[in-house]
Amino acid sequence: MAHGEWPTRRGERVPGTEYVLDETLGQGRVTLACRVRDHDDQLLVLKVLLSHLAGASDIAERFLREARLFASFEHENVLGIADVGRITDGRPFFVTPWTKARVLASVIRSRQLPLTLDQAVAVAVQLTDALGAIHAAGAIHRAVHPGNVLLGWTGHVWLADFGVTSASLLPAITTPGEMYLEPRPEGMTDDPRADLFALGMIFYELFGARGPYPASDRGSFAARLRSGPPEPVGAMLDGSAVPRPLADLLTSMVAADPASRPASVWPVRETLRAVAARSAPRD
Ligand SMILES: Nc1ncnc2c1ncn2[C@@H]1O[C@H](COP(=O)(O)OP(=O)(O)OP(=O)(O)O)[C@@H](O)[C@H]1O
Ligand SMILES: [Mg+2]
């Protein structure tokens, strides 16, 4: 491998960092994700900005700014950012712990859901708390989708990663995670309620087994969103009914008009806790 080149084989160093490649995990629209080892042989995930985006607009600067913001706080349900920097060619990267957790996206795909109502509420509360911490830090996640939700084997949930930029700056291909994000009109300012929309999309699948705006691509998703109210929340996959206050909450979270959504994570948390309290076994 020539000096400064991206590693292709296990054990080769990511140029300009202390990390060596373990395996490539995947490439999205913005980043390449790799599992790496640090000097203590710990497994971590390193995500680097794709080279063709490094010179485009101000993405590299935004990526660094967001990574530093996310690295500046800790919360038990947010997968922490352990390191932020630039590789030799100047492209920014960040590093998170690697986990053995299951990714919610593959749990949904392989139909390993259903969770029971109580289990789904426990996941939902932790995701809501994660978003609350992110918004309290003055950040917006922008990539709340099931590929970034990690489910630990003992019930712990982490929200991973963050999104860097508005979709309009990037090539027009759709990645699976984007089918959960609010299709925003050009020029619309960033708003934490975009994260609540995406959280509501996940909740629909956790609780109701189907999404509010069935569509096969981003274009038909946006059209379906504009054409009328969301589909009603169905029964859970295990057959149990979704309590009415929870179903109403989910419908409001995915409202097309941000003004009709909960104003922050706090009302979401209240409703989830009330549902949890009501379904808890009584002595
Ligand atoms: N911290 C982690 N621990 C374990 N596996 C991970 C971790 N981060 C990512 N992965 C795995 O690597 C895959 C690719 O991750 P990556 O973050 O690049 O894609 P994504 O989550 O689908 O999209 P996004 O760019 O929006 O985060 C994930 O689907 C997951 O299987
Ligand atoms: Mg991710």
Side-chain angles (χ1 to χ4, degrees):
M1 182 179 81
H3 176 73
E5 267 180 38
W6 190 259
T8 49
R9 282 202 296 269
R10 175 168 289 172
E12 289 178 345
R13 186 171 299 276
V14 176
T17 76
E18 64 168 278
Y19 308 102
V20 296
L21 182 69
D22 186 62
E23 71 172 302
T24 301
L25 295 172
Q27 179 175 321
R29 285 211 303 179
V30 182
T31 52
L32 174 71
C34 299
R35 194 167 64 177
V36 296
R37 290 181 186 276
D38 68 6
H39 53 251
D40 286 330
D41 224 23
Q42 292 293 320
L43 283 171
L44 300 155
V45 173
L46 182 149
K47 297 188 71 169
V48 65
L49 187 68
L50 294 176
S51 42
H52 71 273
L53 291 174
S57 161
D58 58 352
I59 292 180
E61 295 311 318
R62 291 170 68 149
F63 183 102
L64 263 185
R65 218 168 35 234
E66 293 296 303
R68 288 188 179 127
L69 182 54
F70 275 79
S72 69
F73 66 92
E74 275 185 44
H75 186 273
E76 57 183 345
N77 299 116
V78 179
L79 194 69
I81 292 188
D83 191 12
V84 179
R86 290 181 189 268
I87 65 169
T88 305
D89 68 9
R91 283 186 285 150
F93 71 89
F94 68 86
V95 173
T96 65
W98 180 76
T99 68
K100 286 197 180 120
R102 292 174 301 165
V103 180
L104 179 62
S106 55
V107 172
I108 291 173
R109 248 192 334 265
S110 63
R111 301 190 175 274
Q112 286 170 302
L113 288 174
L115 305 169
T116 64
L117 178 65
D118 289 351
Q119 289 167 336
V121 169
V123 171
V125 165
Q126 293 179 73
L127 282 177
T128 307
D129 287 351
L131 260 194
I134 288 166
H135 293 170
I140 299 174
H141 189 282
R142 297 191 185 91
V144 177
H145 62 69
N148 283 335
V149 175
L150 302 167
L151 303 175
W153 294 96
T154 56
H156 197 91
V157 177
W158 294 271
L159 181 59
D161 294 338
F162 57 85
V164 184
T165 184
S166 69
S168 60
L169 288 173
L170 297 168
I173 52 166
T174 305
T175 59
E178 279 161 39
M179 292 300 286
Y180 292 79
L181 310 183
E182 179 187 20
R184 268 173 289 173
E186 292 286 328
M188 191 162 162
T189 53
D190 281 327
D191 182 333
R193 285 174 298 185
D195 282 346
L196 287 179
F197 177 93
L199 192 64
M201 294 286 291
I202 293 181
F203 285 3
Y204 251 77
E205 288 188 59
L206 275 182
F207 292 108
R210 62 162 188 240
Y213 303 110
S216 53
D217 56 53
R218 275 296 270 177
S220 48
F221 177 29
R224 173 62 189 83
L225 182 65
R226 281 193 304 270
S227 74
E231 301 290 325
V233 179
M236 294 193 61
L237 265 175
D238 72 356
S240 48
V242 180
R244 188 58 195 262
L246 185 55
D248 289 346
L249 171 74
L250 266 52
T251 311
S252 71
M253 289 173 80
V254 298
D257 178 6
S260 302
R261 297 176 202 155
S264 75
V265 297
W266 303 117
V268 179
R269 204 165 180 267
E270 288 286 294
T271 304
L272 289 170
R273 293 215 184 265
V275 170
R278 212 165 314 150
S279 69
R282 296 195 176 85
D283 309 316

